[in-house]
Amino acid sequence: MAQALACAVLLVWFAWAGAGAQPAPAAPPARHVIVFSLDGARADAVQAAVPQALAARGTVSWTAQTIFPSSTLPAHASMLSGVGPAVHRVTFNDWSIGEPYFARTTMFTEVTRAGGRAAAFVAKPKMMIFMPPGSVVSAQHLVYPRFRQADVVEVAARLFGEQRPAVLFVHVADPDDTGHRRGWMSEEYLRVIAAVPALIERLLRAFEDAGVTAQALLIVTSDHGGHGITHGTSRPEDMTIPWMAFGGAARRGVIVDRRIVVFDTAATALAALGVPIPGDWQGRPLLEALQGP
Ligand SMILES: [Zn+2]
């Protein structure tokens, strides 16, 4: 299956490169991408928690911005679909099974269209809005370990090993939950964020265990920050999000100080896999984060 997928992705890549749509490297840097969203993680808190030695193993930005309103569904809509809220029109923050799914193209629909497997593992049921039937081979929301991020990541890491998806979206909600209950930057909040490096290492180990590290990319980011016990405003504490890339497909020792927007994440995931980016997306791939010529 992994070989068939690799062939499919390469075929798509060559077809794209051959069409001359955009200048392209000889081969896409990644066959596997994990996008890991830390719901409610502030950039400054994550920066303080990530050791220099870990940051040096990848590409990092501590000034990336989410969209307004800085809330979970609007921001994840942008993270996954490559456009801002004026285009995707998700300005609500609640959704239940049975309501209409998100209808625009996402990194899931585009990877699936290119012949790859997309999977998702989310910690809030409303996040299932982004996984309409047919867009992913598997999507699960975890009610039981919702606020046990290490458990969510452990299960997701095992799922990666079993299914080897081209793209896997992993979402944990502990920072957001702790922020709402105890306050952003509270002792409890910082304790949750202090565990982030271990979560990153666990997902990188999933690449190693599968023997795919050289052609794998892990993007770590968040949907919004927070202040006091809330978020959703245009304040910098709410709007500034971490953005990191690790794995063999990521450039090492790069600090990005140009403007990154949350909708650049989906475009970067597709670029890493060599999957064409829809022409109507606003997001642009962070090519400086990716290995390549
Ligand atoms: Zn959120």
Side-chain angles (χ1 to χ4, degrees):
M1 178 57 217
Q3 279 187 341
L5 168 61
C7 287
V9 170
L10 277 174
L11 281 173
V12 168
W13 179 259
F14 288 136
W16 179 33
Q22 290 187 37
R31 290 181 179 179
H32 303 278
V33 175
I34 295 178
V35 174
F36 182 29
S37 178
L38 304 156
D39 199 310
R42 273 173 62 150
D44 53 356
V46 175
Q47 181 179 13
V50 170
Q52 290 278 352
L54 176 56
R57 286 161 54 194
T59 294
V60 299
S61 165
W62 309 116
T63 56
Q65 298 292 301
T66 192
I67 50 80
F68 179 83
S70 52
S71 303
T72 300
L73 288 187
H76 278 111
S78 290
M79 184 192 298
L80 299 169
S81 79
V83 296
V87 179
H88 63 56
R89 297 182 179 276
V90 176
T91 51
F92 51 90
N93 200 26
D94 287 301
W95 184 84
S96 301
I97 294 283
E99 295 182 57
Y101 283 99
F102 186 75
R104 288 190 58 84
T105 56
T106 61
M107 66 178 192
F108 305 125
T109 65
E110 298 314 286
V111 166
T112 299
R113 191 199 308 273
R117 292 155 61 87
F121 220 66
V122 296
K124 292 178 177 178
K126 67 182 178 182
M127 292 288 288
M128 298 294 282
I129 188 177
F130 301 118
M131 278 75 75
S135 67
V136 292
V137 291
S138 81
Q140 301 175 51
H141 67 87
L142 290 177
V143 177
Y144 144 68
R146 174 172 173 180
F147 301 130
R148 298 180 193 175
Q149 57 189 5
D151 293 352
V152 176
V153 167
E154 181 61 34
V155 177
R158 289 182 197 169
L159 180 141
F160 179 84
E162 290 160 11
Q163 301 193 354
R164 308 281 182 93
V167 67
L168 171 64
F169 176 62
V170 184
H171 165 257
V172 296
D174 300 47
D176 184 66
D177 175 62
T178 310
H180 284 299
R181 286 189 296 110
R182 304 291 181 180
W184 265 262
M185 308 308 275
S186 65
E187 198 176 314
E188 290 91 338
Y189 178 83
L190 294 178
R191 204 155 42 227
V192 167
I193 297 294
V196 166
L199 303 179
I200 293 171
E201 298 284 7
R202 179 65 189 93
L203 291 173
L204 290 175
R205 207 162 69 243
F207 290 153
E208 283 167 28
D209 292 346
V212 299
T213 296
Q215 290 176 300
L217 181 71
L218 169 64
I219 297 173
V220 185
T221 186
S222 74
D223 54 344
H224 54 78
H227 68 281
I229 57 165
T230 191
H231 60 84
T233 78
S234 58
R235 293 167 62 137
E237 306 98 297
D238 291 6
M239 296 291 290
T240 309
I241 55 173
W243 201 97
M244 296 174 271
F246 298 103
R251 285 218 173 103
R252 299 167 73 93
V254 176
I255 300 172
V256 180
D257 52 14
R258 74 172 174 88
R259 181 179 170 82
I260 298 173
V261 184
V262 65
F263 49 53
D264 295 331
T265 295
T268 305
L270 293 190
L273 292 165
V275 173
I277 298 166
D280 62 351
W281 281 19
Q282 295 166 275
R284 295 288 172 259
L286 269 88
L287 296 179
E288 65 265 56
L290 302 178
Q291 293 284 356

